[in-house]
Amino acid sequence: MFGQVKSLMRRVFTKEDNVKPALPQVISRDHHNISRSNISTNALKVLYRLNSAGYEAYLVGGGVRDLLLGREPKDFDVATDASPEEVKRVFRNCRLIGRRFRLAHIYFGREIIEVATFRGDGSGDRRSKDGLLVRDNVYGTLEEDAWRRDFTINALYYEVKTFSVIDHVGAIADLEAGRLSIIGDAAERYREDPVRMLRAVRFSSKLGFIINEETSKPIFECAPLMETVSSARLFDEMCKLFLHGYALNTYEQLRHYGLFYYLFPQVERSLEQQESDYPKTFIARGLENTDQRVSENRPVIPAFLLAVLLWEPVRTRVAEKSEQGMRPMQAYQEAADEVISQQVKSISMPRRISLQVKEIWIMQAKLSMRRGRKVFELLESNRFRAAFDFLQLRHQSGEEVAELYEWWNSFHQTNYEEQESMLSQLRKREGPAGGRRRRNPYRRRRPSGETTGE
Ligand code: ATP
Ligand code: MG
């Protein structure tokens, strides 16, 4: 994976391979693999336009990192010495966003290029008493900007005027070594913004990089700082952590560092309490499936992921309620509501999504009932696929739902006649209501005129 960077390093440091390069290091066009053809044309437009308006402008962050690693960047960010207001004057299709730090978003149809003004050295920052950065809108130079970024590998700048890459922080050496290093004192940087701990895990999983010790060790003691992060921001971070193809590794690392508890407290507690392997197997398989889908370019939805992660607390509550004599449907409804209302204290989610999560769980109850003609309604519901996949996951992870799973697996794939025959077999075996007593819809109709007396 790091072939291109390694060859880049060989060419830059031919003889003195072990000598640390002096910083800043400028890597010219012939010594790196970034080509303009790999950069989005809209990002290039932004760079050229800012340059011709007399401003400095660089591609920065994940875009440069990923291009150097030969990966396809997720998005392109630009850093400039123009103030946000000056950027707005250059682009008509521009909106300024952010309160803490003003950023310019330049719109090109569905693509947004984010343009940030160089940040200063922090002398004008305001911090809360526990070190959290509450305002940092002092602008600065490129070098100051580099030192304010989170990890060295995220602080590389590509200048389109000269086609060179600028490294102020030792990023190239870290890229070559496959190492994630925070810039500055880790504990201090985590206090400023605890989300950096999640980002450390995310980049290490995504890139397969090792987190260096100065960066990783303080995470264990700084993890509780996660409580200060807003639940809305955590929803966005959660999606980035789990929906981009490396969810399983991310989850394992989050648990290792004690960060997972702050995202999903109920789940962490249930994993610690449960003696059986089922919940762990279930989550691991669910995340593996998600990763597989991403690698096949199939859609993944946050609701399914949340339904998987939160299943064990729901299952435990359903079991408790059923033991107390509650009917399955009500048990599922109540358990789902309780688990979601606990969860949103840590990670808020749009109502649309919490409803989808709940539906996946409630459909587990419905799938197990197999009530007469209702099975066709279930089959046609647009949540059937998600609910069936969920049932499959339960089955594959060792929950005792084999018969149910096999039945639905045949039922949803077969023709109507066969479905009718499967239903009538089920009725013979379990009675008309799938084992439950209810009004018999198949009873002989009374001749007209005869009343029931009801
Ligand atoms: P991705 O591939 O996920 O887009 P990225 O590195 O581009 O990775 P972004 O969240 O897009 O990450 O942020 C762009 C850049 O902004 C980062 O590369 C980093 O330099 C800087 N940055 C983002 N978040 C922080 C933070 N919390 N603290 C310091 N710098 C940050
Ligand atoms: Mg990015």
Side-chain angles (χ1 to χ4, degrees):
M1 175 169 41
F2 314 122
Q4 273 135 326
V5 179
K6 278 195 173 148
S7 64
L8 154 80
M9 293 303 291
R10 266 200 297 279
R11 273 177 285 155
V12 176
F13 313 112
T14 32
K15 294 206 181 69
E16 306 95 334
D17 250 343
N18 292 325
V19 177
K20 266 197 165 181
L23 297 171
Q25 188 194 351
V26 178
I27 301 140
S28 65
R29 155 188 225 169
D30 309 334
H31 295 101
H32 64 70
N33 62 320
I34 299 185
S35 134
R36 272 171 301 165
S37 61
N38 297 327
I39 302 173
S40 114
T41 43
N42 295 325
L44 289 172
K45 266 189 220 161
V46 170
L47 295 170
Y48 288 133
R49 192 97 72 84
L50 283 168
N51 281 166
S52 55
Y55 301 109
E56 284 180 58
Y58 304 84
L59 206 62
V60 66
V64 184
R65 174 196 72 214
D66 290 347
L67 287 173
L68 283 171
L69 289 171
R71 303 171 70 104
E72 192 184 337
K74 205 172 80 204
D75 48 33
F76 290 93
D77 298 308
V78 167
T80 178
D81 64 350
S83 72
E85 291 71 24
E86 286 169 329
V87 175
K88 194 164 166 52
R89 258 176 259 139
V90 179
F91 299 93
R92 264 190 308 129
N93 47 337
C94 170
R95 278 219 338 242
L96 299 188
I97 60 143
R99 265 181 301 156
R100 204 177 93 177
F101 191 85
R102 303 269 281 167
L103 294 168
H105 273 181
I106 321 242
Y107 291 81
F108 297 91
R110 290 178 63 192
E111 188 178 15
I112 298 174
I113 305 295
E114 190 167 286
V115 180
T117 306
F118 294 147
R119 290 184 197 197
D121 64 6
S123 49
D125 289 352
R126 273 207 354 235
R127 275 159 216 273
S128 66
K129 39 179 200 325
D130 37 11
L132 196 75
L133 214 49
V134 287
R135 197 175 67 95
D136 61 343
N137 65 353
V138 181
Y139 304 130
T141 62
L142 183 149
E143 180 172 4
E144 286 167 347
D145 187 77
W147 290 102
R148 296 299 301 271
R149 292 186 178 266
D150 49 4
F151 303 100
T152 59
I153 58 166
N154 287 346
L156 285 165
Y157 298 74
Y158 173 77
E159 189 179 30
V160 76
K161 250 191 319 197
T162 58
F163 310 112
S164 47
V165 172
I166 303 164
D167 177 8
H168 276 278
V169 294
I172 293 286
D174 282 337
L175 271 187
E176 185 210 25
R179 184 174 55 218
L180 193 74
S181 315
I182 198 144
I183 297 173
D185 177 71
E188 203 176 301
R189 301 302 312 274
Y190 298 148
R191 273 196 297 275
E192 278 176 4
D193 181 4
V195 166
R196 289 175 183 146
M197 294 185 277
L198 299 180
R199 290 174 60 87
V201 167
R202 178 154 75 85
F203 293 123
S204 131
S205 298
K206 167 173 164 167
L207 306 170
F209 275 30
I210 289 176
I211 309 181
N212 80 356
E213 210 181 316
E214 294 94 273
T215 308
S216 65
K217 222 168 152 199
I219 298 183
F220 296 99
E221 72 207 47
C222 291
L225 294 169
M226 291 291 303
E227 278 182 341
T228 62
V229 182
S230 88
S231 58
R233 187 170 175 209
L234 285 185
F235 178 77
D236 295 338
E237 291 302 322
M238 181 207 71
C239 294
K240 291 187 199 164
L241 285 164
F242 292 109
L243 298 176
H244 292 287
Y246 34 90
L248 181 56
N249 189 300
T250 300
Y251 156 78
E252 282 165 355
Q253 287 207 59
L254 288 173
R255 288 203 73 211
H256 168 76
Y257 287 113
L259 291 166
F260 188 72
Y261 172 79
Y262 296 96
L263 298 175
F264 294 96
Q266 302 174 90
V267 184
E268 181 61 49
R269 267 185 248 119
S270 72
L271 289 172
E272 280 165 13
Q273 283 158 13
Q274 235 323 334
E275 277 165 24
S276 100
D277 278 342
Y278 170 76
K280 290 193 189 95
T281 314
F282 180 80
I283 291 183
R285 269 183 181 272
L287 297 180
E288 223 167 48
N289 285 2
T290 309
D291 291 344
Q292 177 75 19
R293 288 178 75 95
V294 175
S295 74
E296 293 164 2
N297 275 327
R298 286 156 69 204
V300 285
I301 54 166
F304 191 83
L305 174 90
L306 284 160
V308 167
L309 287 169
L310 294 164
W311 175 233
E312 187 57 24
V314 171
R315 211 172 68 100
T316 312
R317 281 176 196 255
V318 167
E320 284 165 8
K321 289 174 195 293
S322 304
E323 238 163 63
Q324 291 157 13
M326 196 181 281
R327 286 184 157 198
M329 212 47 200
Q330 195 187 349
Y332 268 87
Q333 296 270 8
E334 285 192 9
D337 287 338
E338 288 166 14
V339 168
I340 288 175
S341 68
Q342 280 294 316
Q343 179 56 32
V344 293
K345 291 181 189 161
S346 321
I347 302 182
S348 69
M349 55 186 111
R351 193 168 154 70
R352 173 179 55 84
I353 291 182
S354 64
L355 287 175
Q356 283 174 6
V357 176
K358 194 172 158 184
E359 218 181 330
I360 293 173
W361 293 331
I362 302 290
M363 281 202 43
Q364 301 309 301
K366 291 186 180 164
L367 288 177
S368 68
M369 287 171 192
R370 288 178 284 185
R371 281 190 190 161
R373 315 302 302 169
K374 285 240 162 103
V375 295
F376 290 107
E377 277 171 38
L378 277 181
L379 203 57
E380 270 147 41
S381 123
N382 50 14
R383 286 280 151 250
F384 175 78
R385 193 66 232 188
F388 175 73
D389 287 350
F390 197 88
L391 177 64
Q392 181 176 39
L393 198 58
R394 292 169 59 198
H395 165 58
Q396 290 171 339
S397 310
E399 210 179 319
E400 283 171 20
V401 285
E403 189 276 329
L404 191 66
Y405 165 72
E406 297 299 351
W407 193 89
W408 278 105
N409 192 27
S410 312
F411 190 79
H412 90 278
Q413 296 184 74
T414 192
N415 60 30
Y416 185 70
E417 282 73 38
E418 185 55 31
Q419 286 174 335
E420 285 291 351
S421 127
M422 284 179 77
L423 275 177
S424 79
Q425 277 169 25
L426 193 70
R427 274 197 299 274
K428 274 190 215 130
R429 206 179 65 210
E430 299 189 345
R436 284 189 62 229
R437 275 168 58 82
R438 57 169 205 158
R439 234 182 87 208
N440 181 358
Y442 306 102
R443 71 184 168 187
R444 190 174 59 84
R445 284 191 186 274
R446 288 185 172 81
S448 59
E450 202 177 312
T451 61
T452 61
E454 280 167 6

